[in-house]
Amino acid sequence: MFQVFQGHLQPAGPRSRKTRLVTKNGHCNMELGNVRHGGRLAYLLDLWTTLVEIRWRFVLLLFAASFTGSWFVFGLLWFWIARSNGDLGGQNRADGHVRCVDNVHGLTTAFLYSLETQTTIGYGGRALTGHCAGTVALVVLQSLVGVFINCFACGVVLAKVSSPKKRAKTVTFSDTAVVCLQRGNLCLLIRVANLRKTLLIGSQIYGKLLRTAAADGETVVLDQVDIDFTVDAGKDNLFFVCPLTLCHVIDRSSPFYELCADNVSRQDFELVVFLDGTDESSSSSCQVRTSYVPQEIQWGFSFLPIVSRTRTGKYRVDFSNFSKSVRVSTPHCARCFDTDSDHGNHGNHENHGNHEDHENHGNHENHDKDQQSSRQKKGVDNLGFQVIHIHDSVDATKM
């Protein structure tokens, strides 16, 4: 009934040349073109999200520019105050001249004083005299601006460090998917593992089957079909403490029902698998994604076992076999498997019917014999009654 395949459909190592919508590491392969200037302005209006999503080099460059720019702008203001008051070197000063800021003689010293003021560095060489009201107001303003820049910078860095995308990197999927028999059903299996000991609470697993079709000869339309995955405990609120094997039953309602071992590698679709959960340590929601193209589906293979028990009583996961598979006996297609199952069930029904006929015939004969024997007996014969002997010496109240 089953066939063992001698050819390996696709090794686990090489990647397919098909253009993916979702890459293996979960990034969406999508490019936005011809966006209007109003749309680009929306990125600046949503500045916080933009800073959290951009790369680290741009974040560091922006923070360095913001700090340096604020020091330079306030340095110009300090230079303007010193020049207006006649504190710079080379300016004619009257006898008894009172400085606004000590030791600010040019643009360089004004910039240094601005840096020392905003970073609260006090070298003791430059300081306010307190005789100019404008300098007091400028010190207060620069201190507030410095606090806001520091808070914003620390918040963005903390948000990027604790981003759920980083947590998703510690959840991995198998390089390939396999199709084999699982508990009497033809199933598509995918393996997923959590590389951290902290659990993902409320994990949910589901899939989308994406097909591309050309409409009007130009537009590419995506057809999305839901794919249900289950494990032994169901598909919601999984106990994700060890690697799990996701199972999709290929039955008549499955979009993979028409596939077989010969044509699976020639199909044009993309299977995207999603894992949603909440991190136990940070309570942040994250989503892990990966995709499989037809060339990464191995028909007639099963995953190698990876969980074992050590001598000390601990469970050990061997990730060297995480994506490795072994050839197993598998039906050639889902339709063939259903046909063989139907024939087997039909034969079982016929045998069961013949067996029932023999049993009914035997039961009728026994019933006739019992009726004949009961006619010979006098009175009512209770066949379920058993006679027991009770000794008088036994105390019935004794426990």
Side-chain angles (χ1 to χ4, degrees):
M1 181 175 70
F2 300 151
Q3 300 179 4
V4 179
F5 302 104
Q6 303 297 330
H8 199 293
L9 295 180
Q10 178 70 20
R15 295 289 184 264
S16 173
R17 296 181 180 179
K18 174 179 167 47
T19 302
R20 302 174 184 267
L21 180 64
V22 179
T23 61
K24 295 295 288 185
N25 55 3
H27 294 289
C28 295
N29 188 20
M30 183 69 67
E31 180 180 354
L32 303 179
N34 298 327
V35 180
R36 296 181 179 180
H37 295 287
R40 297 182 183 276
L41 184 61
Y43 291 102
L44 297 178
L45 297 177
D46 189 12
L47 184 60
W48 176 258
T49 306
T50 302
L51 292 177
V52 172
E53 292 182 349
I54 61 177
R55 298 181 180 274
W56 274 104
R57 53 178 176 265
F58 298 114
V59 173
L60 298 178
L61 179 62
L62 182 61
F63 287 165
S66 61
F67 281 110
T68 305
S70 63
W71 298 336
F72 182 74
V73 169
F74 282 100
L76 291 178
L77 295 177
W78 289 115
F79 177 78
W80 174 73
I81 289 176
R83 183 178 179 180
S84 301
N85 195 49
D87 298 338
L88 299 179
Q91 288 183 317
N92 296 325
R93 292 186 291 269
D95 295 336
H97 176 75
V98 179
R99 294 175 177 271
C100 290
V101 183
D102 289 333
N103 296 326
V104 174
H105 308 292
L107 184 60
T108 302
T109 55
F111 177 79
L112 291 176
Y113 179 71
S114 174
L115 187 151
E116 295 169 7
T117 301
Q118 188 167 333
T119 57
T120 65
I121 297 175
Y123 292 115
R126 282 171 287 272
L128 293 179
T129 61
H131 297 286
C132 300
T135 57
V136 177
L138 188 58
V139 166
V140 174
L141 179 61
Q142 186 172 3
S143 299
L144 293 176
V145 171
V147 170
F148 279 111
I149 294 178
N150 288 332
C151 293
F152 198 80
C154 293
V156 172
V157 171
L158 181 61
K160 287 186 69 66
V161 170
S162 61
S163 175
K165 295 181 181 179
K166 304 301 180 183
R167 179 63 177 90
K169 293 183 180 298
T170 57
V171 178
T172 180
F173 287 88
S174 57
D175 295 334
T176 59
V178 298
V179 176
C180 62
L181 289 178
Q182 185 79 6
R183 297 185 177 181
N185 295 316
L186 186 63
C187 302
L188 183 140
L189 305 180
I190 296 173
R191 183 171 278 175
V192 59
N194 181 15
L195 302 182
R196 289 188 178 273
K197 291 185 178 181
T198 56
L199 302 180
L200 287 177
I201 304 173
S203 300
Q204 297 180 355
I205 297 176
Y206 56 96
K208 294 287 185 180
L209 184 65
L210 308 181
R211 298 180 184 271
T212 57
D216 299 332
E218 296 180 358
T219 306
V220 176
V221 180
L222 285 177
D223 182 19
Q224 301 184 13
V225 181
D226 292 334
I227 302 296
D228 293 330
F229 285 98
T230 60
V231 293
D232 294 339
K235 62 179 180 179
D236 297 331
N237 299 324
L238 304 179
F239 186 42
F240 203 3
V241 68
C242 64
L244 301 177
T245 301
L246 313 182
C247 176
H248 169 71
V249 179
I250 304 178
D251 52 12
R252 297 181 185 273
S253 61
S254 172
F256 300 112
Y257 186 72
E258 300 297 332
L259 297 182
C260 65
D262 298 332
N263 64 5
V264 61
S265 60
R266 299 191 299 269
Q267 298 298 318
D268 185 14
F269 63 82
E270 181 177 354
L271 175 60
V272 184
V273 184
F274 302 86
L275 171 63
D276 297 339
T278 303
D279 185 48
E280 185 180 20
S281 57
S282 61
S283 299
S284 60
S285 302
C286 65
Q287 183 183 85
V288 191
R289 299 180 295 266
T290 191
S291 67
Y292 297 91
V293 293
Q295 291 76 17
E296 294 173 340
I297 297 179
Q298 299 175 313
W299 195 290
F301 286 80
S302 178
F303 288 117
L304 291 176
I306 60 175
V307 180
S308 60
R309 193 170 183 177
T310 62
R311 295 180 179 179
T312 59
K314 291 185 177 181
Y315 293 93
R316 182 177 182 271
V317 180
D318 184 10
F319 280 97
S320 62
N321 294 331
F322 181 73
S323 296
K324 293 183 180 179
S325 57
V326 62
R327 190 178 293 108
V328 294
S329 177
T330 308
H332 183 267
C333 60
R335 190 180 296 275
C336 302
F337 177 70
D338 288 345
T339 302
D340 294 338
S341 300
D342 293 339
H343 283 301
N345 293 332
H346 181 68
N348 293 332
H349 283 301
E350 290 182 352
N351 295 331
H352 182 67
N354 295 331
H355 183 68
E356 286 184 349
D357 292 339
H358 287 294
E359 288 184 349
N360 293 333
H361 182 68
N363 293 333
H364 283 299
E365 292 181 353
N366 295 330
H367 182 67
D368 293 338
K369 292 181 180 179
D370 292 339
Q371 286 182 347
Q372 292 178 359
S373 59
S374 62
R375 293 192 192 99
Q376 299 174 358
K377 296 181 180 180
K378 297 180 180 179
V380 179
D381 188 6
N382 188 353
L383 300 178
F385 180 77
Q386 296 181 357
V387 179
I388 59 175
H389 299 282
I390 300 177
H391 299 285
D392 297 333
S393 60
V394 176
D395 189 1
T397 61
K398 185 178 180 180
M399 299 299 293

